[in-house]
Amino acid sequence: MKKGIHPENYREVIFKDMSNGDMFLSRSTAKTNDTEVFEGVEYPVVKLEISSSSHPFYTGKAKLVDTAGRVDKFMTRYKGLGKK
């Protein structure tokens, strides 16, 4: 690898899928204050709402991931419009 082309904060980081708890180790410059132990070593952790391990396109399963109550808000707002 060529020396001096990466930023100073380019380091190993854990990416954690919050919908199913899967984690994978990669390198990133993403800023985070959280840390977590992965395979016996403590790394900074970046939390993701969805990743390839939980996305319906990659898993082949259609499942609803609702982390902020958006589906409930939608259902309450539009529940009477479809039935006539």
Side-chain angles (χ1 to χ4, degrees), residues 6-81:
H6 292 294
E8 292 294 322
N9 62 344
Y10 188 67
R11 72 227 185 272
E12 290 185 327
V13 175
I14 298 171
F15 289 91
K16 184 174 184 178
D17 187 334
M18 299 309 289
S19 64
N20 63 6
D22 284 353
M23 296 187 289
F24 61 93
L25 183 64
S26 185
R27 292 182 162 267
S28 177
T29 60
K31 294 180 181 175
T32 181
N33 295 327
D34 301 330
T35 60
E36 194 159 323
V37 176
F38 182 72
E39 297 178 351
V41 181
E42 188 173 1
Y43 296 102
V45 64
V46 175
K47 296 176 181 175
L48 307 170
E49 288 189 31
I50 196 163
S51 71
S52 62
S53 66
S54 62
H55 194 281
F57 179 80
Y58 297 105
T59 61
K61 300 176 184 175
K63 72 177 188 179
L64 184 62
V65 178
D66 182 26
T67 59
R70 287 178 246 143
V71 173
D72 291 333
K73 289 178 190 175
F74 177 84
M75 296 304 271
T76 56
R77 184 180 295 162
Y78 299 108
K79 70 179 176 183
L81 293 178

